[in-house]
Amino acid sequence: MSPWLPILMAVPVLGAVVVALLPKGSDKLAKQVTLLVSLVVMVLTLVMAVQFSPRGDRFQFVAEYNWIPSFGVKFGVGVDGVALVLIALSVVLVPIVVLASWNDADGVKTADGTVIAPKRSVKTYFSLLLVLETMMIGVFAATDIFLFYIFFEAMLIPMYFMIGSYGGAQRSYAAVKFLLYSLFGGLLMLVAVIGLYFAAGKGTFMFPELVGAIQDPATQKWLFAGFFIAFAIKAPLVPVHTWLPDAAAQAPAGAAVLLVGVLDKVGTFGMLRFCLELFPEAAKAFTMPIVVLAVISIIYGAIVAIGQTDMKRLIAYTSISHFGFIVMGVFAMSQVAQSGAALYMVNHGFATGALFLVAGFLISRRGSPYIADYGGVQKVAPVLAGFFLVAGLAGLSLPGLSSFVSEFMVMVGTYSSQAFGSGGLAVAAIVSAVAVILAAVYILWMVQRALNGPTAESVKGFKDLNVREVVVLAPLVALIIGFGFFPKPLLDVITPSVQHTLTNVDVKNPAIAEKGAGE
Amino acid sequence: MNGFEAPTIEYGQLAPLLLVFGAACIGVLVEAFAPRYLRKSIQVPLSLLSLIGAFALVIVQVARGGVPTTASAMGAVAVDGPSLFIWGVILVLSLGAVLMVNDDGHFVASAAAVPGSADEEEAETSGGAHTEVYPLVLFAVGGMLLFAASHDLLVMFVALEVMSLPLYLLCGLARRRRLLSQEASLKYFLLGAFSSAFFLYGMAMIYGYAGTVSLPGISQAMSTGSLMDPLLLLGFSLLGVGLLFKIGAAPFHAWKPDVYQGAPTPITALMASGTLVAAMGAVLRVFWVALGNLDWDWRPVMWVVAALTMIVGAILAITQTDIKRMLAYSSIAHAGFLLIGVMATFEAAEKNAASLSAILFYLLVYGFTTVGAFAVVTMVRDPGGEAGHLSRWAGLGKRSPLLAGVFAFFLLAFAGIPLTSGFFGKYAVFAAAVSSGTQTGDSMGAWMTGLVVVGVIASAIAAFFYVRVIVLMFFSEPAADGPTVVAPSMGTAVVIGVALLVTVGVGLFPQPALDIANQAASGLFIR
């Protein structure tokens, strides 16, 4: 029993209550309290993280309390390497987002200069943010599948209100679309969770005890489908991706960072942790169609991104492409690819987070998300343009920046995957490599149109980044460059955890692996 | 020997029932003899105290551990674990309804005055009021208690009528939009009488088959007699129609939206919670106790009814523009979810306890949320009465964030979002159904999981219209001449507070409530 994770989950929600109870008109205090709480959580998490021993047990900082004995549900938490780095990603992003959204809850400026007033008070926004932080930690830390499901669904609600109450012109449409898509996937997963409980017949939802519990291939396939559809919607994978561009474009920049940077990772995390380990045979049976879908996402997301006129939508589509890479890596069934995929989840969080934030800063100066409304920003706001360029280059996985390492690992791991015999997935890897070129097109073309060239009339009065905005972006850029040259600390933590996954996938059914190899 | 034996009545066991009926009779006498200005101040404490007293008697009976194992009153009433649980739930919910009834302005000044006439105006200005409402509610509540606990079909029919007749009347007593209210009353009465006739006809046929109206007697007759007897099959079909009408299952749901919309909101709350709870108790008794041997016959039928009910309720709710009609369709959908639990039967009867517990738990959480939601509806008012039309709710979140927040939370609970009580209720019946489908040799097998899939699809559709109201309240611009939110009376505030507490509390820590439901269900029904 380790108190670490329960404390980490309790601190933000208590902070949220404090923020919500602050008297009216104390907006500034609400922001300060939120920032303080999120920094405390970050420090606590980092203190916990350094005590994690990669060679130790798979799940560490384990805590288990009986919650609902009648349903066999426990409040069971614990982290393996992948969960740890994703929790770290979340808690690092939250204070950055708090600082970045300092003025977001005050209203959104539109292209014609009018301000869309928010529907709710400033403190509600920050209180929701802290509630969301608890749920983000909880969803990655849950070792009880029922508890995972609870967080998986419940975290939609704060995000729903953050988009719907503080977003752009189309916010309520986007919020409802986001909620219904996710809810529908989640409900299918609920059926699978119930089915898993009774098919396993163990009277528990604890993940470690359920690994290998389902042996019947047909049952595995049905349950796999239930989980996978939910995660595919969350991730999101083509063809169930259409909610993401709307939600990300309408959300305030800070919420968009958490949405794309963390919430969507729950989908890929779930595939890696639950789909593969609980239903290994089904995962192998479905590998080919899923990899094909992933490749389609990679290419489709990239091509559609090129055609976007709205910066936030463009970034959202690049994320769909990147999620395709992550899913391909997860299902390539090789250690390099899966480690790469897990690493990609973290790197994508930082890179896309930086890109969303810097685009958000740019948009807040002009009020328009359209690329065509900008031009020559570089001359009036060189610092902003510089950060934009670095974040963009991270988005296109330039060598030396963190995303490169992970994308490279995914492609190499997929190319050399033994899942369908030697080189069985090589074609997928080769086709996906086209996206690297497309990425250069969508990023560099956006940079060229928005930042370079003659200074547009509307851009002339732009102020460069202020201190707050630089403080927001600098740590992200430092992380992007740092992990680009030195990803070892992350990989050291991730790799043993991925090995556990692969062991659980392979060892349970060696026959399948051979059959797969023979095909 | 003249062949007549005085019946033995277990007064102690039936005390809650007798107390409620007794108070109702006293209420009638008060109406007859007390002066007008005193009536309300007598009726209100009388009603509240009798309901609280009855609840206390239920608690005492449970606490003493003396839950009977045989039927009381010569086999007419079964005071078993499920009955006591349902009694407790109905009593608390109706207490909430009475507190809302007590709030002024829901009931017509003079029901006999023609709407829009001078009589009506005069009655209103002279401050007339129908205090008969209180004894009527008590009679209806007494009927509900008996309905859920009746051990033979004849008592069940009497209880059905005792429950329904006062409700028909109460539906027509709304102060505002009286024509709508009277239409609701008439519709409810006609359709209700029709369904009662079905029930009675079915009962007669089953009597013809079994030679008895006692539920265990019917079950016994079926274990020796032919299961293909047309009398039996027709009889139980007709009986089923009568019962499914009361819970509002499709295709017998058409009355619900009209009646829920027209009735005064406190009465709607009573019907949506208490009547549903009582009727589910009766459905369970008939289908599990009397027709338990026939389950391979009725489960496929029930599958279709449950699926249809959920889908119809969820889809039609989307098209509604009136908040009460929307909640009525939502109640239809929830009746469908409950029917999933009714189908979750097992070959080995003692395993049914888990399913029964799931249904009881669902009834508990749904009842509280429903009463709370309707209590909120009573507070949002236009000059002409409650602001029924959904467009009037636009921007309520800005105007009155607390109330809108509470209502949004109730809606999320209806939608079954985790960390609300509604989620665990839904989970419990879904799990019971899947568990029933996975038993070896189950006649429905994978169909049960299929039904759960239908259930989650219906939940997703239902989520759409719950969320739509939240969107309206929080994300839309408030109407310029929007409705006012009246300060709640003490009673309404208590109702909303308790409902919120239960919805949040059970949503975070469902175990205590589950323990009670498990305990109540452990002994199953008396046979």
Side-chain angles (χ1 to χ4, degrees), chain B residues 462-487:
Chain B
F464 175 73
F465 64 79
Y466 295 125
V467 164
R468 202 173 58 141
V469 179
I470 297 179
V471 168
L472 263 178
M473 290 193 301
F474 287 102
F475 308 159
S476 303
E477 283 307 317
D481 57 341
T484 48
V485 173
V486 296

Side-chain angles (χ1 to χ4, degrees), chain A residues 47-339:
Chain A
V47 172
M48 180 187 89
V50 293
Q51 297 173 28
F52 184 86
S53 58
R55 304 269 155 240
D57 292 343
R58 171 166 187 193
F59 287 106
Q60 301 182 22
F61 312 112
V62 173
E64 264 182 55
Y65 305 93
N66 274 332
W67 184 26
I68 316 173
S70 290
F71 294 159
V73 176
K74 284 182 180 156
F75 185 89
V77 287
V79 288
D80 62 359
V82 175
L84 181 72
V85 293
L86 287 172
I87 290 176
L89 165 73
S90 315
V91 299
V92 169
L93 281 180
V94 170
I96 291 177
V97 163
V98 171
L99 207 53
S101 354
W102 208 251
N103 301 323
D104 272 7
D106 300 343
V108 177
K109 210 165 103 183
T110 57
D112 53 9
T114 53
V115 173
I116 304 179
K119 288 291 160 214
R120 318 274 325 216
S121 62
V122 170
K123 63 178 187 176
T124 313
Y125 181 84
F126 287 97
S127 169
L128 287 172
L129 196 63
L130 286 176
V131 170
L132 188 65
E133 182 171 26
T134 288
M135 290 173 172
M136 291 190 302
I137 298 172
V139 78
F140 291 124
T143 50
D144 184 293
I145 295 173
F146 194 92
L147 186 68
F148 172 82
Y149 173 78
I150 296 240
F151 284 123
F152 183 84
E153 289 282 66
M155 67 199 299
L156 302 176
I157 301 300
M159 182 49 81
Y160 166 73
F161 279 103
M162 283 164 81
I163 299 173
S165 293
Y166 303 92
Q170 298 287 315
R171 57 190 173 193
S172 84
Y173 169 77
V176 170
K177 195 170 175 183
F178 156 74
L179 185 70
L180 290 182
Y181 261 85
S182 306
L183 204 57
F184 180 71
L187 283 166
L188 287 182
M189 183 172 136
L190 177 64
V191 180
V193 168
I194 298 173
L196 172 66
Y197 179 82
F198 287 106
K202 295 208 167 184
T204 179
F205 286 99
M206 289 301 286
F207 168 73
E209 291 173 53
L210 287 172
V211 171
I214 307 284
Q215 293 293 345
D216 175 43
T219 314
Q220 274 203 15
K221 281 183 187 167
W222 282 107
L223 296 178
F224 177 90
F227 277 86
F228 183 78
I229 293 172
F231 295 145
I233 291 176
K234 196 87 172 177
L237 212 55
V238 174
V240 282
H241 64 286
T242 59
W243 63 270
L244 182 69
D246 287 319
Q250 296 303 324
V257 171
L258 293 181
L259 177 67
V260 179
V262 180
L263 263 62
D264 290 351
K265 302 297 171 9
V266 180
T268 48
F269 169 78
M271 290 179 197
L272 184 63
R273 164 83 67 86
F274 298 113
C275 283
L276 289 191
E277 295 192 43
L278 292 174
F279 321 111
E281 284 192 47
K284 283 173 182 153
F286 288 123
T287 295
M288 200 40 118
I290 291 173
V291 168
V292 169
L293 272 184
V295 172
I296 292 175
S297 289
I298 294 172
I299 303 296
Y300 176 84
I303 291 176
V304 177
I306 295 174
Q308 293 306 306
T309 52
D310 175 327
M311 268 186 257
K312 279 162 125 183
R313 289 184 77 89
L314 189 151
I315 302 170
Y317 274 108
T318 70
S319 293
I320 291 172
S321 176
H322 294 158
F323 283 120
F325 273 110
I326 299 177
V327 173
M328 185 172 84
V330 168
F331 280 88
M333 306 285 179
S334 78
Q335 193 211 309
V336 177
Q338 285 189 349
S339 296

